[in-house]
Amino acid sequence: MPIEIVCKIKFAEEDAKPKEKEAGDEQSLLGAAQGTAAPRDLATFASTSTLHGLGRACGPGPHGLRRTLWALALLTSLAAFLYQAAGLARGYLTRPHLVAMDPAAPAPVAGFPAVTLCNINRFRHSALSDADIFHLANLTGLPPKDRDGHRAAGLRYPEPDMVDILNRTGHQLADMLKSCNFSGHHCSASNFSVVYTRYGKCYTFNADPQSSLPSRAGGMGSGLEIMLDIQQEEYLPIWRETNETSFEAGIRVQIHSQEEPPYIHQLGFGVSPGFQTFVSCQEQRLTYLPQPWGNCRAESGLREPELQGYSAYSVSACRLRCEKEAVLQRCHCRMVHMPDSLGGGSEGPCFCPTPCNLTRYGKEISMVRIPNRGSARYLARKYNRNETYIRENFLVLDVFFEALTSEAMEQRAAYGLSALLGDLGGQMGLFIGASILTLLEILDYIYEVSWDRLKRVWRRPKTPLRTSTGGISTLGLQELKEQSPCPSRGRAEGGGASGLLPNHHHPPGPRGGLFEDFAC
């Protein structure tokens, strides 16, 4: 008995569709399964954005003249805002600052400053030995010789001790100080401390920062008043001019804080004999800004000395350190008034920034001539000198507070970050009607669109050539022709091949339907 075997093969219509459509349908189904919504288009975002004018320029609707004008207005406002924002940013980056001056409230007691004084003549002529003249020839200009008149070529002296020379040959305060009075109380040379400067041996009143003397009132008679004899007969004769030769007579004075060493050769002022000099002081507390607004030296948290040889940082101490390092590099020694630390010198230029907190003393100087005719004879009898000597050598220095008030001068940032943000917010609201939240909306939309595009690229699948669904084999048309052992349909119809069974004819209707039946 003959057996018929019938094969039913299903051809899907989707084989004729593009692969891109299949991938898109699969991604749509995947997105729907995961519950993610498609990103908004620009028109939808513009219609819901809080940025003024964006909805009218880019929102849904027909394109016309009105929308074009709105787009131009939006772009013009945006350009104006960016221009103003750039100007504000440039102004902020220049770090402008201003100086505010505030008079402080009167204080019942004010700390009196340190007063350093030096005789302009460094060495007393009568105190110089032959060895001293030999060693100090470059400073004094005097020709070195011994007592017998021999020249320097035949002289042999031991190495000098400059500290000893300055102490022996400098003007002694006990000889110069004729009277001393501070706030109505008597003082003496013991109230002064010895300090060495470019002028040799000098003296500082009220030098100890731990026991600073107070001033309880302002005006004359409430400060330091001293009478000095400058001893012009001890001044060195000028044999030849040197870099250290001085033609003046008198003293140099500097008023400074106790934490600051004297830098009297540059910051001091002169007091002439034959005059009473009045120095009216006022304390000034200065506050400077550090980087990036200023160039002051910010204080560190450590309380250790930051400069070798000094207890605190100051511009004067830094300059003295720079001078020491320059002399040390060239001569491998130091001068007496320089700090006694022989560490290695630094290379390059020495920079001394201003400390961020500084105390200085403003001063007003006036003077009157002394002595008058009546007092000249009295002073001559009192100190066993003649009147000419009194006029040429005596002077009076009176240093006092103008008032017990201090003046505070502070650098402040003229344009800070809060002011910049306020101005930017005002410009943003004026031109484009936006805020920080509006910018976040735009960034969120950009992130949404970018992330969706990335997900499409990452999840694009490859279309398989053969799939099996529901137990029915689905083959491509070309693959079917290659694998089928049956003769082609065209030959069966046109040539009358007997491969087709008579009881399996094609159903009526157009060819290329959803299903086609073949029998093998």
Side-chain angles (χ1 to χ4, degrees), residues 276-351:
Q276 180 173 359
T277 304
F278 303 95
V279 183
S280 176
C281 300
Q282 185 178 24
E283 184 182 58
Q284 296 176 345
R285 300 177 181 177
L286 309 180
T287 302
Y288 298 98
L289 289 174
Q291 292 286 352
W293 292 274
N295 294 318
C296 78
R297 184 180 186 273
E299 297 180 355
S300 64
L302 302 177
R303 294 188 177 181
E304 300 177 358
E306 298 183 11
L307 289 178
Q308 294 182 357
Y310 299 100
S311 59
Y313 175 85
S314 63
V315 176
S316 300
C318 180
R319 291 179 179 176
L320 288 172
R321 185 203 62 179
C322 293
E323 292 179 0
K324 182 213 68 174
E325 292 178 351
V327 173
L328 185 64
Q329 288 181 354
R330 185 166 183 176
C331 305
H332 304 287
C333 63
R334 67 176 182 89
M335 301 179 71
V336 176
H337 66 277
M338 295 178 179
D340 57 351
S341 58
L342 296 179
S346 62
E347 298 181 358
C350 190
F351 176 64

Side-chain angles (χ1 to χ4, degrees), residues 82-149:
L82 294 177
Y83 176 78
Q84 294 292 334
L88 294 175
R90 286 195 301 268
Y92 174 76
L93 293 177
T94 57
R95 307 293 184 178
H97 62 268
L98 53 88
V99 178
M101 184 172 63
D102 299 324
V109 178
F112 198 75
V115 181
T116 300
L117 53 94
C118 304
N119 199 313
I120 293 179
N121 182 61
R122 304 182 184 186
F123 309 102
R124 290 178 297 144
H125 190 212
S126 63
L128 291 176
S129 64
D130 294 337
D132 297 334
I133 295 176
F134 174 78
H135 293 307
L136 301 176
N138 292 331
L139 295 177
T140 62
L142 298 177
K145 63 180 181 180
D146 61 5
R147 298 184 185 276
D148 298 329

Side-chain angles (χ1 to χ4, degrees), residues 114-119 163 166-167 170-171 173 192-205 207 252 254 256 258 260-264 310 320 336-338:
V115 181
T116 300
L117 53 94
C118 304
N119 199 313
V163 177
L166 291 177
N167 282 324
H171 290 267
L173 184 62
F192 291 77
S193 302
V194 177
V195 62
Y196 298 100
T197 69
R198 289 282 294 273
Y199 287 98
K201 189 177 183 181
C202 301
Y203 305 91
T204 301
F205 177 79
R252 295 278 293 183
Q254 181 183 354
H256 55 94
Q258 284 79 10
E260 179 183 0
Y263 203 60
I264 198 168
Y310 299 100
L320 288 172
V336 176
H337 66 277
M338 295 178 179

